[in-house]
Amino acid sequence: MFSLRRKSFWVWMAIAFCLTWLISCGAPQTNRSASGEVEFWTMQLQPKFTDYFNDLIAQFEADNPGVTIRWVDVPWAAMESKILTAVAARTAPDVVNLNPNFASTLAARQAWLPLEESLSEGDRHLYLPGIWKANTLNEMTFGLPWYLTTRITLHNQSLLQEAGITEPPKTYAELAQVAQQVKEKTGKFAFFVTFVPEDSSEVLESMVQMGVRLVDEQGKAAFNTPEGKAAFQYWVDLYQKGWLPREVLTQGHRRAIELYQAGEVALLFSGPEFMNAIATNAPTIAEVTQSSPQITGTTGKINVAVMNLVIPRQTDTPDNALKFALFVTNPENQLAFAQAANVLPSTVESVQAYQTQLKSTPQSTPLETARLISSQQLDSAEVLIPAMKGLTELKGAIYDNLQAAMLGEKTVDRAISDAAETWDSISF
């Protein structure tokens, strides 16, 4: 297991080296400036939002004669490899939809256009201040915030009642009690959370919610502390006591959705946007699904996930690219997309309008209730793992060693010490 992970790490480092070399060498690229074309990549938004984006693009083109938008929608799982290849080959789009954690990896290698000098104070103040920070690295702004999600807890009320549980858990301490009770009373599991480094960062976020500091001001490991050991021990105990499915070590968040829709787990940590999918794929489960706030730790912190728009540094139409990115993420268009996609907007004005509309509408459906809970969390939510160099490697070091402790291959003390040593040995 560990040799494969190390192999993937060095493959990534090789790609990064080649990427840095190609960026600095200035290899040939496709010239779109003469045609007035802006190429725009999104992540898996077709066909559901095809009409929305066609209308959006038509409006922008009407307002900006001579500029055309070429929209390319990329499957979620393929985006990272495609954008890496495109940037390395200097055929990247002009505007691309990514998440800040992955975008920050390439921001550290100067792949994106720095936006400080191109944005006015008025532009910056459109967006929620805490969300804006997710798109900065070393005081460089590398992207514009777009849509957000705050994780909520979807729970199978019927399965919880079968286990004798009247209220869904609010904290990780309560979650452990629920995990034991559901397993003992029903034979099923309370929840599924992945420990696959290449997948969700949920476990890393849980550590921050439990009071763990991941890195210090110098970027060195800061998690080998009593709080860090307690967080490691928490997950090790759940796994070794049989209260987590064994495949948490090998399968990603998609498995959590599958198990919830099959009625095999009582809780799903996700966003309101999944309510419609559950209703379509598992209508009997949807009928007994209710929602509650995000589970947190002793800090009370609530995490928010951010999607952004970045502009590759190699673009030959930077002014039009930025103008389009600002148009997509302006308050009016953000509000419209948030309503269509059951996500949250990231501008101050659109958030206020979104919450006002929800509060003035009777919460007659489970989806409306979930959306209200999610939006109310935004008032205190923050990006728990901000953009940083080497996040992929940090997560790998922690998850690999946490898995070793869960499997009994290492003690918790040894696992967290090894994770810290591995991280500190990596230089960027």
Side-chain angles (χ1 to χ4, degrees):
M1 177 174 64
F2 299 110
S3 61
L4 288 175
R5 297 268 169 77
R6 283 194 291 269
K7 181 179 179 181
S8 65
F9 165 74
W10 288 112
V11 168
W12 170 261
M13 292 300 289
I15 292 172
F17 174 80
C18 293
L19 177 60
T20 304
W21 183 82
L22 284 166
I23 290 172
S24 63
C25 287
Q29 69 181 94
T30 302
N31 190 311
R32 289 186 287 267
S33 61
S35 65
E37 181 181 271
V38 173
E39 187 168 327
F40 171 46
W41 284 14
T42 57
M43 276 199 285
Q44 205 160 318
L45 296 177
Q46 293 181 358
K48 187 173 182 180
F49 304 108
T50 297
D51 290 344
Y52 171 85
F53 282 102
N54 284 343
D55 291 345
L56 184 80
I57 289 168
Q59 181 182 346
F60 181 81
E61 290 177 344
D63 294 341
N64 297 271
V67 180
T68 59
I69 305 300
R70 180 171 179 259
W71 177 30
V72 178
D73 194 57
V74 179
W76 186 280
M79 177 58 92
E80 292 188 6
S81 61
K82 281 185 174 294
I83 194 63
L84 277 171
T85 301
V87 170
R90 299 189 68 79
T91 59
D94 302 292
V95 181
V96 59
N97 165 208
L98 295 172
N99 67 72
N101 286 341
F102 177 71
S104 68
T105 301
L106 297 187
R109 298 180 174 87
Q110 292 79 50
W112 312 130
L113 190 71
L115 302 179
E116 288 83 4
E117 295 182 2
S118 303
L119 295 171
S120 67
E121 283 300 309
D123 292 331
R124 291 186 182 88
H125 291 158
L126 287 175
Y127 305 89
L128 296 169
I131 303 304
W132 185 266
K133 294 177 183 178
N135 293 278
T136 62
L137 180 68
N138 298 331
E139 299 184 354
M140 179 191 79
T141 300
F142 60 82
L144 296 177
W146 190 10
Y147 61 93
L148 317 172
T149 56
T150 64
R151 192 167 56 243
I152 61 174
T153 303
L154 303 180
H155 53 273
N156 182 325
Q157 190 65 17
S158 178
L159 189 50
L160 288 182
Q161 289 175 352
E162 183 182 345
I165 298 166
T166 57
E167 296 288 339
K170 299 180 180 65
T171 66
Y172 285 107
E174 293 177 4
L175 180 62
Q177 296 172 358
V178 169
Q180 178 181 7
Q181 201 163 331
V182 169
K183 184 62 175 176
E184 291 178 351
K185 295 292 182 65
T186 72
K188 297 182 178 182
F189 293 100
F191 69 104
F192 179 103
V193 61
T194 180
F195 293 83
V196 176
E198 296 78 17
D199 202 88
S200 168
S201 296
E202 191 174 339
V203 170
L204 210 60
E205 292 158 2
S206 78
M207 293 176 64
V208 176
Q209 291 174 310
M210 293 177 188
V212 180
R213 186 183 184 192
L214 296 176
V215 298
D216 61 22
E217 289 82 0
Q218 288 73 44
K220 296 298 184 180
F223 53 82
N224 189 1
T225 60
E227 293 82 7
K229 292 175 184 178
F232 264 51
Q233 192 68 60
Y234 176 88
W235 293 113
V236 168
D237 287 345
L238 285 181
Y239 185 82
Q240 292 185 346
K241 290 176 179 177
W243 299 343
L244 285 176
R246 292 308 183 212
E247 62 264 41
V248 297
L249 303 184
T250 58
Q251 299 198 43
H253 182 69
R254 175 57 56 183
R255 183 58 175 161
I257 298 171
E258 293 170 353
L259 290 172
Y260 185 81
Q261 292 181 157
E264 293 300 317
V265 296
L267 309 171
L268 176 63
F269 310 134
S270 190
E273 65 272 16
F274 280 97
M275 296 287 284
N276 287 334
I278 295 170
T280 299
N281 300 329
T284 57
I285 299 299
E287 289 177 0
V288 295
T289 293
Q290 297 182 16
S291 52
S292 55
Q294 183 179 138
I295 289 175
T296 188
T298 54
T299 64
K301 290 183 176 181
I302 299 295
N303 185 62
V304 59
V306 181
M307 297 299 288
N308 67 6
L309 295 180
V310 297
I311 299 172
R313 182 185 290 267
Q314 62 193 228
T315 180
D316 52 19
T317 181
D319 292 341
N320 286 333
L322 180 58
K323 184 182 293 186
F324 180 67
L326 287 168
F327 178 76
V328 172
T329 62
N330 72 27
E332 180 182 357
N333 290 326
Q334 284 223 31
L335 179 61
F337 185 68
Q339 292 168 330
N342 293 323
V343 293
L344 299 171
S346 65
T347 71
V348 175
E349 181 181 330
S350 52
V351 167
Q352 291 172 346
Y354 186 88
Q355 291 180 334
T356 297
Q357 289 180 2
L358 283 175
K359 291 174 183 177
S360 64
T361 303
Q363 306 305 304
S364 58
T365 69
L367 175 58
E368 289 169 346
T369 301
R371 290 173 65 189
L372 182 60
I373 291 172
S374 179
S375 69
Q376 288 173 333
Q377 292 183 151
L378 198 55
D379 295 337
S380 60
E382 58 184 296
V383 178
L384 298 184
I385 306 175
M388 59 175 289
K389 285 186 178 181
L391 178 58
T392 300
E393 292 76 22
L394 175 64
K395 186 163 66 167
I398 290 176
Y399 278 36
D400 279 348
N401 283 283
L402 183 51
Q403 282 200 26
M406 294 163 75
L407 292 169
E409 297 170 355
K410 295 182 180 181
T411 65
V412 165
D413 284 354
R414 175 65 183 275
I416 199 167
S417 176
D418 286 354
E421 183 178 346
T422 298
W423 168 248
D424 286 345
S425 69
I426 300 173
S427 60
F428 297 95

